[in-house]
Amino acid sequence: MFTEDIQIMLYVDDVQKAVAFWQALDFVIVEEQAVDGTRVVEIAAAKDAKAHFVLYDREFIESNSPEVATNSPSLMFFSQDIYRLYKKIGELDVPLGEMISLGDREVFNFADPDGNYFAVSSI
């Protein structure tokens, strides 16, 4: 059976740039290692978070697992202070969608430096 823990693998063009982007949003490095000469970094919203991103160099994945290298995840984050988070992401040089109301929730989307889009919903 599955556990509550999950790792989401993100394939990026520049691991260091991706790490810096997520750290600007208060993510922390959980683990860092070298795999066959490439840097792999596991990050999360907090050290004890149940979901973690594992950032892999896209070229490395294309050479080792080309069938998965172009797949992009569709992820929804949740925020208790969505307006502050929206402002913080707006200060970064990335695409940011408008904040919209969906019923009793506020929702917006943004992209990371590699063009992966993420959604955020208030809770």
Side-chain angles (χ1 to χ4, degrees):
M1 297 311 250
F2 291 107
T3 69
E4 295 177 6
D5 299 309
I6 188 169
Q7 286 186 336
I8 299 132
M9 297 176 287
L10 290 179
Y11 310 128
V12 300
D13 294 326
D14 183 333
V15 172
Q16 184 58 38
K17 185 176 180 179
V19 169
F21 170 78
W22 289 107
Q23 285 181 314
L25 296 174
D26 300 325
F27 276 58
V28 296
I29 294 175
V30 175
E31 185 176 340
E32 193 169 350
Q33 58 184 312
V35 177
D36 290 336
T38 190
R39 185 173 176 217
V40 178
V41 180
E42 183 176 345
I43 60 172
K47 289 271 187 192
D48 60 348
K50 297 289 186 184
H52 296 189
F53 288 153
V54 182
L55 305 171
Y56 287 92
D57 181 85
R58 187 181 321 277
E59 286 183 15
F60 173 78
I61 295 300
E62 286 172 347
S63 67
N64 289 284
S65 299
E67 69 280 3
V68 301
T70 59
N71 294 338
S72 294
S74 180
L75 302 174
M76 173 74 79
F77 289 103
F78 295 92
S79 176
Q80 293 179 336
D81 190 352
I82 195 166
Y83 297 105
R84 186 169 70 89
L85 180 58
Y86 186 80
K87 183 178 182 210
K88 186 171 192 165
I89 293 172
E91 294 169 357
L92 301 174
D93 186 26
V94 296
L96 177 63
E98 288 185 42
M99 177 104 54
I100 61 170
S101 294
L102 289 177
D104 61 345
R105 295 179 187 250
E106 301 297 317
V107 179
F108 70 90
N109 65 31
F110 68 95
D112 69 8
D114 289 281
N116 298 307
Y117 272 84
F118 304 90
V120 180
S121 174
S122 60
I123 53 174

